[in-house]
Amino acid sequence: HMIRRATLEILGAHAEQIAGRSAAATVRDPLTTLITSPVFMLALEQEIERALRHQHSLALLLFDIDDLAHINRDQGWGVGDRILERMGILARRFFRMHDWVARHADDAIAVLLPETTVDQAAALAGRFREMVQDRLVQQDHKTNTTKLITVSAAAVGTDLVQSEIDAAVVMQEAEGAVLRAKFYGRNRIEPREMFEERVAR
């Protein structure tokens, strides 16, 4: 944990030099306070290398908020931002200290789970999906109705990393699995085995 914290500090200082922005803003998303997507991708590359070196399992979760575009359109961007902020708080509290939790794109949260099998990751994703549905209830003051906030999610991973894996393609696999989860009805988990022969190119 100390090594990773030092790595993030170095990355932040480097980003500050080349971009002229504050170190905190380049490492932490200001809305959710989760790590940013570029830092997450660097962590994914490092964890793939470590899993290959030690022959460990590795999994990645991707949660995408259902109908967030409609919520932003109907109730305003501020409502959508509050949902993302609250979801970030839930994710930080739910996942382990040594998991990597990041904001991905505009309305998604990515979680990297070292030494975690696909089945274990899917089970965690299911529990987090239920937590979001139970705790993130949105009140629509215009219609005086409540709306459950749900997520569609991907659980992508391999029980044993045995060859090099391209981090960008792993993320593409997760994004594709989320789209399938939405296509098949939303508010569900789409598990996917990380096929190394496909993503090693």
Side-chain angles (χ1 to χ4, degrees):
H1 179 69
M2 291 297 296
I3 293 173
R4 288 178 183 169
R5 187 173 67 180
T7 301
L8 293 181
E9 290 172 353
I10 291 170
L11 288 170
H14 179 61
E16 185 177 30
Q17 290 175 354
I18 64 175
R21 294 180 294 167
S22 70
T26 58
V27 174
R28 294 281 177 183
D29 172 62
L31 177 63
T32 63
T33 70
L34 304 177
I35 62 174
T36 59
S37 187
V39 174
F40 182 85
M41 293 306 295
L42 289 171
L44 178 56
E45 292 175 359
Q46 292 176 356
E47 291 294 352
I48 287 173
E49 292 177 2
R50 191 171 72 89
L52 174 59
R53 185 165 60 250
H54 299 290
Q55 299 281 280
H56 285 165
S57 56
L58 183 67
L60 184 150
L61 304 179
L62 187 62
F63 299 93
D64 190 279
I65 300 173
D66 294 325
D67 298 322
L68 187 62
H70 293 161
I71 294 171
N72 286 330
R73 182 195 63 199
D74 297 340
Q75 302 184 49
W77 287 90
V79 174
D81 284 350
R82 284 195 296 274
I83 292 171
L84 276 166
E85 182 180 22
R86 290 168 62 195
M87 188 168 162
I89 293 171
L90 288 179
R92 283 200 315 274
R93 292 176 177 174
F94 181 82
F95 291 100
R96 302 169 299 185
M97 285 292 295
H98 60 277
D99 295 329
W100 297 87
V101 187
R103 183 178 181 182
H104 179 70
D106 290 332
D107 54 0
I109 287 179
V111 184
L112 180 57
L113 305 168
E115 299 182 39
T116 305
T117 66
V118 179
D119 289 344
Q120 291 169 340
L124 286 170
R127 287 167 51 199
F128 185 72
R129 181 196 63 79
E130 293 174 356
M131 178 184 293
V132 169
Q133 181 175 278
D134 290 342
R135 299 191 183 182
L136 297 190
V137 179
Q138 181 62 38
Q139 181 72 34
D140 187 338
H141 297 289
K142 293 181 180 179
T143 61
N144 199 29
T145 59
T146 58
K147 174 181 174 57
L148 294 178
I149 304 302
T150 62
V151 292
S152 297
V156 178
T158 179
D159 293 350
L160 181 63
V161 177
Q162 301 181 75
S163 62
E164 292 185 4
I165 301 174
D166 189 295
V169 181
V170 173
M171 184 57 74
Q172 290 174 7
E173 292 275 348
E175 291 170 344
V178 165
L179 290 177
R180 287 191 295 276
K182 289 183 178 292
F183 179 79
Y184 288 116
R186 296 185 174 88
N187 193 25
R188 66 188 301 274
I189 311 299
E190 184 75 15
R192 179 132 182 109
E193 185 72 26
M194 191 187 296
F195 294 110
E196 296 174 62
E197 62 270 19
R198 291 182 56 196
V199 299
R201 301 191 192 98

